[in-house]
């Protein structure tokens, strides 16, 4: 017979088995923290002997569940149908009728694309749900009643129960998780219902995953996201592992349950996995009903085999034809121009807590070809599910017997363990690209050992924001090992301090063994800087790609983002508030001198800005600060751009190649392509148009010949960015006085500077200071018609990816374009156009520049998409449209149909969508704010729409939109526009803010 210690030292024993077998289950009592740590969110509640006993009781009670449980069976009908936005115009008897004497106890029906209108993204309309609920009720008859439903834009899940069995349905809860555009909107995602039927929990999930044959990984991600974010409030009033007294107290608690914390989970929906075969091959196999041959190439089957998605679920045999895609109103395969490959997109799968054979029995699984109102066919499955009923008296007897067994255990135990390494180094850590490794902890003691990572002194978190530890705490049985995964990923929260060099990528993790020793684990890495996740002010101060910048280069020129920056009416760049600065200590002359230099740097030469300082005052300021200059390190002039060059490169690309692409900013981009774009921005490399535009003829002759922002010129010579990387060996030439250099590899830098210079502001408080004005964007592509065309992501993959990069760039900013301190003020003036313009004057200059630049670009996008006429080329702008490729940006309607009011409605439709998308990234609530409400989201959209629509004719604002009333100021003369130079937060002509063609570059 084994002794207690021999049993506990046996390897390969789970924690539950150890608790059930060992004679000393009180070992868990000594795995708690030595003392309470109420401020540590990761610290588990402190245990006492009773809690340890309850843990062991739970295991034993579940093991003996059969002795106090009675099992029965119930029947559930589950259906799914993508209705393609159609109304319920036909009876649903064929779909819902069960040809069996046994009728379903519950019906669960999942719909996709219930509502395809644009308004569905903004306002939840229940009319569609009511219409389909009425159609279902008519087919089911009076013997069924509605239990619950949940709608998310076009997704709907609805449950009916027979009147006879409705009494067994309790604890009904619903949830939704949007996974659509930018991973947030609900055009894709899942809706769920969880119920307690008798004493078993049933969970039903309806979903619509990412479309397009190539988007396999995106579908896998949608599945994982729905699983992660779907949590139900579970106020269970009875737990089989508790005593009657404990169950009475349990009713007052409330915990969250995932979709897998159920006895049975059934998942249905348009999963969008396709058949990876050519269309003709598929149709030939379908002529002989060779369904098994088709399923060998089914993407869902492949992903389940690879354990990437739905690997936990089971699916019944498929002996019916693919359910997608058909011509509406027929049972004929898609005959449109796209000719979609027939596929099994609509599926029903199940998962059971108890994998025994009699736990779930799928009676049938089939499609219904009789329904023709959609391009999908409905699918249904009929299940026989095993459910349980607890015998309360018997359960109490078993519980009491187990409690008596615990009275004899009172030995104490101490943990001991080793770890595989205490030094972890990651190479080439990049923004939003996780890297993972693991360490192994081995329990060398005789009792369970609990570990947890604890914060260092004065820290709230045990690791820096770019480190994730999984699991942060755990239990290791005697003689066993556990893997602890260390993941590093730089996101928006941590990117700024790493990009600017304020913190190195180094940290020390403390892994504490309760009632034992501490392990110190060093984590470090070499970080690859990126332009994402920074502040606008810092980015606009970079005169080279971020990858070629280092803190040592501009140590004396740059100011920390955390510093308080005071913006006055004389200094566009602002002055740093620093009590210890020698140069700023008490010299007003020094402040004026700094203002001169800051303004000079905006235009690239000292002659471009006239400040109210005469020559004598300047000389006095220089003389008074000479001693301070000697004490401070020698610094070179800073090239302060009007807005980040990376933003200019993104908009420049979309402006040249994507103005007429359908669904711009409404389709998600391709992840590898977005990674490539981000790499080009960070390194300064030229965009590979053949990769981003897919087709060689999709690039105009003029645009392909233009120099672009890159690190090499056409001959492969290194450009000025590389030269500036080594300050000791070379410096920029400045023979033209523009501060950019005039050697043969600096032309692309000049072009970049010219593009950015369009948003330069005049000094605040100057004699030409005007009220905030906005010059109306003029469509420079006016006359190029948006011809009707709709393309998939494949053809315009690079453009859609660049569009998403723009949104993610704005979303990643440390401080949004509209500063968070002005967020609620912006919402207040959402319906007051003039007040909204005035709000810009309170924003930092670089934020104003970016706001003007982006909104002017969006206005150009709106006007171009809605322009009419004929022709297919805009030679002056270097943008060539293939015949038949130009299209209205969002709806794909033919140009001839967009006339009069229709054209105006189309423009307003695009404006509303763009304002909704960009409003969410340009206006962000302060950290810690309450969850965004629908009203707040609408106000963000309305605020931005004021800058994308024509302004009201009040207080002279209408004239400012004319573009020619401002005279020929500095901006107008530089770029050839009619808009005059304005000061403060005023708009200059939008045409000067948009990218220039080659002929317009200085």
């Amino acid at each position: 017979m084994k002794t207690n210690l021999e049993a506990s030292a046996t390897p390969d024993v789970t924690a539950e088995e150890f608790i059930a077998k060992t004679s000393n289950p009180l070992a868990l009592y000594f795995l708690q923290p030595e003392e309470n740590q109420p401020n540590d969110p990761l610290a588990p509640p402190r245990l006492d002997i009773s809690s340890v006993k309850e843990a062991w009781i739970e295991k034993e009670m579940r093991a003996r569940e059969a002795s106090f449980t009675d099992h029965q069976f119930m029947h559930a009908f589950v259906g799914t149908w993508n209705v393609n936005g159609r109304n319920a115009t036909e009876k649903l008897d064929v779909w819902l009728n069960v040809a069996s004497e046994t009728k379903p106890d519950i019906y669960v029906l999942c719909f996709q694309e219930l509502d395809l209108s644009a308004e569905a993204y903004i306002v939840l309309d229940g009319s569609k749900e009511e219409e389909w609920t009425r159609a279902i009720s008519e087919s089911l008859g009076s013997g069924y009643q509605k239990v619950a439903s949940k709608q998310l834009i076009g997704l709907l899940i609805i449950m009916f129960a027979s009147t006879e069995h409705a009494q067994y349905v309790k604890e009904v809860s619903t949830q939704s998780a949007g996974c659509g555009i930018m991973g947030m909107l609900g055009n894709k995602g899942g809706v769920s219902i969880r119920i307690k039927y008798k004493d078993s929990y049933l969970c039903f999930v309806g979903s619509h995953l990412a479309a397009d044959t190539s988007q396999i990984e995106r579908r896998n991600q949608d599945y994982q996201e729905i699983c992660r974010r779907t949590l139900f409030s579970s106020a269970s009033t009875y737990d089989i592992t508790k005593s009657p007294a404990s169950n009475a107290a349990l009713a007052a608690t409330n915990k969250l349950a995932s979709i897998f914390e159920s006895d049975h989970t059934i998942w249905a929906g348009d999963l969008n996995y396709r058949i990876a075969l050519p269309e003709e091959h598929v149709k030939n196999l379908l002529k002989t009903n060779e369904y098994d041959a088709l399923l060998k190439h089914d993407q869902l089957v492949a992903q389940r085999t690879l354990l990437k998605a739905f690997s936990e679920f089971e699916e019944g045999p498929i002996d019916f034809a693919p359910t997608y895609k058909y011509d509406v109103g027929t049972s004929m395969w898609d005959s449109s121009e796209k000719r979609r490959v027939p596929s099994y997109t609509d599926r029903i799968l199940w998962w059971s807590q108890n994998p025994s054979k009699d736990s779930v029995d799928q009676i049938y699984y089939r499609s219904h070809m009789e329904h023709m109102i959609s391009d999908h066919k409905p699918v249904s499955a009929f299940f026989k599910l095993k459910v349980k009923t607890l015998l309360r008296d018997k359960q109490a007897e078993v519980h009491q017997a187990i409690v008596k067994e615990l009275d004899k255990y009172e030995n104490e135990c101490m943990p001991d363990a080793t770890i595989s390494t205490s030094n972890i180094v990651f190479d080439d850590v990049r923004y939003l690209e996780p890297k993972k490794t693991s360490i192994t902890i081995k329990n060398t003691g005789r009792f369970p050992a609990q570990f947890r990572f604890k914060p260092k002194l004065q820290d709230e978190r045990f690791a820096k924001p770019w480190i994730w530890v999984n699991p942060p705490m755990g239990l290791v049985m005697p003689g066993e090992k556990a893997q602890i995964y260390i993941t590093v990923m730089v996101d928006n929260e941590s990117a700024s301090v790493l990009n600017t060099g304020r913190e190195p990528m180094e940290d020390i993790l403390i892994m504490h063994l309760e009632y034992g020793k501490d392990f110190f684990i060093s984590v470090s890495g070499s970080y690859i800087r990126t332009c994402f996740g920074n502040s606008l002010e810092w980015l606009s101060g970079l005169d080279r790609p971020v990858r070629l910048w280092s803190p040592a280069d501009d140590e004396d020129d740059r100011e920390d983002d955390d510093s308080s920056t005071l913006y006055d009416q004389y200094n566009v760049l602002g002055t740093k508030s620093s009590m210890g600065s020698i140069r700023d200590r008490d010299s007003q002359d020094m402040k004026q001198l700094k203002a001169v230099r800051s303004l000079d740097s905006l235009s690239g030469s000292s002659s471009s800005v006239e400040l109210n300082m005469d020559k004598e005052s300047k000389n006095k300021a220089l003389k008074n600060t000479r001693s301070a200059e000697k004490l401070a390190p020698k610094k070179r002039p800073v090239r302060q751009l009007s807005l980040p060059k990376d933003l200019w490169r993104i908009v420049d690309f979309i402006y040249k190649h994507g103005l007429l692409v359908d669904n711009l900013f409404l389709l998600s981009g391709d992840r590898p392509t977005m990674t490539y774009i981000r790499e080009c921005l960070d390194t300064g490399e030229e965009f590979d148009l053949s990769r981003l535009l897919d087709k060689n003829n999709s690039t105009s002759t003029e645009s392909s010949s233009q120099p672009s922002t890159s690190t090499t010129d056409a001959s492969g010579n290194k450009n000025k960015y590389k030269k500036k990387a080594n300050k000791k060996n070379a410096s920029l030439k400045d023979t033209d006085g523009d501060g950019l250099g005039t050697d043969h590899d600096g032309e692309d830098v000049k072009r970049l500077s010219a593009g950015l210079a369009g948003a330069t502001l005049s000094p605040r408080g100057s004699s030409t200071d005007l009220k905030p004005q906005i010059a109306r964007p003029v469509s420079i592509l006016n006359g190029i018609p948006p011809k009707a065309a709709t393309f998939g992501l494949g053809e315009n993959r690079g453009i859609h990816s660049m569009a998403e990069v723009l949104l993610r760039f704005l979303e990643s900013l440390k401080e949004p374009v509209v500063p968070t301190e002005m967020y609620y003020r912006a919402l207040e003036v959402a319906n007051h156009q003039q007040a909204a313009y005035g709000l810009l004057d309170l924003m930092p200059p670089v934020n104003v520049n970016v706001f003007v630049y982006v909104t002017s670009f969006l206005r150009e996008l709106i006007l171009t998409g809605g322009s009419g006429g004929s022709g297919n080329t805009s030679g002056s702008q270097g943008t060539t449209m293939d015949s038949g490729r130009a299209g209205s940006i969002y709806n794909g309607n033919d140009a001839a149909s967009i006339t009069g009011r229709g054209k105006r409605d189309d423009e307003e439709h695009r404006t509303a969508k763009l304002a909704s998308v960009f409003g969410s990234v340009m206006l962000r609530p302060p950290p810690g704010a309450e969850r965004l409400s629908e009203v707040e989201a609408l106000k963000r959209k309305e605020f931005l729409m004021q800058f994308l629509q024509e302004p009201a004719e009040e207080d002279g604002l209408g004239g400012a939109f004319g573009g020619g009333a401002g005279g020929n100021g500095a901006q107008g003369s530089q770029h050839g526009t009619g808009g005059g130079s304005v000061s403060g937060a005023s708009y200059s002509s939008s045409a000067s803010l948009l990218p220039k063609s080659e002929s317009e570059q200085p």
Side-chain angles (χ1 to χ4, degrees), residues 77-141:
F77 178 99
V78 179
T80 178
W81 193 3
N82 184 322
V83 297
N84 194 27
R86 308 290 175 172
N87 297 324
T89 57
E90 61 184 24
K91 292 186 177 181
L92 306 179
D93 296 357
V94 176
W95 181 30
L96 303 182
N97 184 39
V98 177
S100 171
E101 295 181 358
T102 304
K103 299 301 180 182
D105 300 319
I106 61 173
Y107 275 87
V108 179
L109 303 177
C110 306
F111 296 91
Q112 304 84 44
E113 296 189 3
L114 196 71
D115 191 347
L116 297 179
S117 65
E119 293 77 9
Y121 289 85
I122 303 173
V123 180
L124 179 61
D125 182 8
S127 60
K128 290 284 188 177
E129 178 183 343
E130 293 176 0
E131 178 181 355
W132 282 95
T133 300
R134 184 167 52 253
I136 296 169
S137 299
E138 291 176 357
S139 295
L140 296 182

Side-chain angles (χ1 to χ4, degrees), residues 94 262 490:
V94 176
S262 303
V490 179

Side-chain angles (χ1 to χ4, degrees), residues 501-520:
R502 295 203 302 271
E503 287 186 8
M505 181 167 264
E506 298 175 356
D507 199 7
I508 300 292
L509 304 181
I510 303 176
M511 187 177 73
H512 178 64
L513 199 63
E514 301 298 348
Y515 286 97
K517 56 187 177 182
D518 290 339
F519 298 95
F520 295 89

Side-chain angles (χ1 to χ4, degrees), residues 682-702:
D682 295 340
T683 61
E685 290 291 337
E686 181 179 350
F687 294 135
D688 185 352
L689 299 185
S690 64
R691 173 173 180 174
L692 295 180
L693 300 181
D694 288 341
K695 291 185 177 182
N696 293 332
N697 62 357
S698 64
T699 323
S700 69
T701 304
E702 295 186 20

Side-chain angles (χ1 to χ4, degrees), residues 566-572 595 599 611 762-766 769 983-984:
L566 306 177
Y567 289 91
D568 58 57
Q569 59 181 347
Y570 298 104
N571 190 349
V572 176
L599 291 168
L611 197 67
S762 300
R764 300 191 183 192
S766 63
D769 196 0
S983 64

Side-chain angles (χ1 to χ4, degrees), residues 499 530-544 546 558 561 639-641 643-647 809 812-813 846:
N499 288 329
T530 180
C531 60
F532 286 72
N534 303 295
S535 67
L536 286 172
E537 183 180 5
W538 187 81
L539 286 172
S540 63
L542 287 178
D543 57 356
R544 70 197 73 180
V546 68
R558 311 220 181 271
D561 289 344
R639 170 66 180 176
Q640 185 80 13
L641 303 176
L643 47 82
K645 60 185 178 305
D646 313 286
L647 174 63
F809 178 86
S812 73
L813 292 173
V846 67

Side-chain angles (χ1 to χ4, degrees), residues 629-911:
E629 293 278 354
K630 292 180 179 180
L631 293 176
K634 191 70 174 179
K635 67 175 186 177
R636 58 181 180 79
V638 179
R639 170 66 180 176
Q640 185 80 13
L641 303 176
S642 301
L643 47 82
K645 60 185 178 305
D646 313 286
L647 174 63
W648 179 84
R649 290 190 66 190
I650 299 171
V651 175
D652 179 55
F653 180 91
I654 302 174
Y655 181 79
K656 292 176 181 175
H657 308 290
L659 283 185
L660 301 179
V661 172
D662 288 340
N663 297 313
L664 194 62
F665 296 111
L666 295 181
L667 291 180
S668 298
D670 174 63
R671 186 180 296 272
T673 305
M674 291 191 293
T675 301
Y676 164 75
I677 294 171
R678 192 166 60 238
E679 187 71 11
C680 288
L681 295 174
D682 295 340
T683 61
E685 290 291 337
E686 181 179 350
F687 294 135
D688 185 352
L689 299 185
S690 64
R691 173 173 180 174
L692 295 180
L693 300 181
D694 288 341
K695 291 185 177 182
N696 293 332
N697 62 357
S698 64
T699 323
S700 69
T701 304
E702 295 186 20
S703 63
S704 62
S705 64
Q706 289 181 354
S708 62
T709 307
S710 65
T711 57
T712 59
D713 60 12
S715 63
N717 296 326
K718 298 290 181 69
N719 75 353
K720 68 111 178 180
Y721 292 144
K722 192 66 177 178
K723 294 180 180 181
K724 294 185 74 175
N726 190 341
K727 297 167 57 180
K728 295 182 179 180
N729 297 331
S731 61
L732 288 177
K733 298 180 181 180
D734 192 11
T735 58
D736 289 348
D738 59 1
L740 291 175
T742 58
D743 46 350
H744 57 237
D745 57 354
E747 293 301 323
D748 50 353
V749 183
K750 285 186 176 182
R751 176 175 170 269
L752 169 64
S753 177
L756 297 179
T760 304
L761 301 177
S762 300
R764 300 191 183 192
S766 63
S767 58
T768 60
D769 196 0
L770 305 175
K771 293 182 179 179
Q773 300 179 24
I774 298 180
R776 177 180 181 179
V778 179
S779 176
I780 60 176
L781 296 183
N782 196 20
I784 298 180
K787 296 183 179 179
T790 302
F791 297 92
L793 183 61
E795 183 169 10
N796 298 307
R797 188 180 309 275
I799 296 173
H800 285 297
S801 299
M802 187 69 73
E804 184 167 347
V805 167
L806 174 57
L807 292 173
R808 291 191 179 276
F809 178 86
L810 296 175
E811 182 185 39
S812 73
L813 292 173
K814 183 179 179 183
E815 178 80 359
V817 178
V818 177
T820 53
E821 63 182 11
M822 299 182 183
Y823 175 75
Y824 293 108
R825 298 178 65 179
L827 299 185
E828 292 175 359
V829 299
N831 294 310
H832 303 281
Q833 196 173 62
Q834 185 178 8
Y837 300 151
L839 186 63
L840 298 186
D841 201 38
L842 304 177
M843 291 166 50
V846 67
N847 293 61
V848 177
N849 291 345
V850 172
F851 189 93
V852 172
Y853 190 67
V854 173
T855 52
S856 298
F857 164 69
L858 294 179
R859 183 59 183 163
E860 184 72 20
L861 179 64
I862 294 167
L863 293 179
T864 302
S867 60
S870 60
N872 64 352
T873 305
S874 175
S876 65
Q877 295 303 320
T879 306
T880 301
M881 306 301 159
D882 292 342
S883 178
R885 282 196 58 190
S888 181
I889 300 178
Y890 298 114
N891 55 16
N893 294 329
D894 188 78
S897 66
I898 307 177
T899 60
R901 185 178 63 183
K903 179 179 178 180
R904 178 66 177 177
D905 292 343
D906 185 58
E907 180 176 318
E908 292 178 353
H909 176 66
R910 292 193 302 273
T911 302

